[in-house]
Amino acid sequence: QAFEFGCTVAGASVHLVDEELDHGPMCSQEAFDIRDCKTVAEVEARGLKVEHKLLCDSLKWVLPERFAIEPLPGGRRCVRQN
């Protein structure tokens, strides 16, 4: 959607899974530049690289259960704990 709307940045996020797509508590997110992308496939490939990095980083503290779920207006997020 970001590419189709002419945006210059897109974003990727990692969520804990619940019953809705991209709805569970967010663990991490990152924006990335798409100004030089010529196709949706280029945006998707760039986003996948960012998602893989975020997923690996998030798993380091989610798997050992070093997090808490914090309520937010309209949602929830994971907060890393040491």
Side-chain angles (χ1 to χ4, degrees):
Q1 287 178 336
F3 181 78
E4 293 168 357
F5 290 136
C7 296
T8 58
V9 295
S13 58
V14 173
H15 300 257
L16 293 182
V17 176
D18 71 4
E19 58 280 346
E20 296 180 46
L21 178 64
D22 288 343
H23 181 264
M26 185 178 300
C27 297
S28 56
Q29 63 183 359
E30 185 174 320
F32 56 94
D33 192 334
I34 61 170
R35 279 180 284 212
D36 62 339
C37 293
K38 305 287 188 245
T39 66
V40 171
E42 289 179 34
V43 175
E44 290 172 343
R46 191 167 293 173
L48 197 55
K49 284 184 180 181
V50 173
E51 280 185 341
H52 286 169
K53 180 181 93 49
L54 293 175
L55 180 59
C56 290
D57 292 346
S58 295
L59 286 174
K60 291 175 185 174
W61 52 274
V62 170
L63 286 178
E65 297 182 11
R66 293 192 322 243
F67 69 95
I69 297 175
E70 179 178 279
L72 295 172
R76 302 162 291 170
R77 71 176 173 184
C78 292
V79 180
R80 183 181 188 164
Q81 297 177 328
N82 291 326

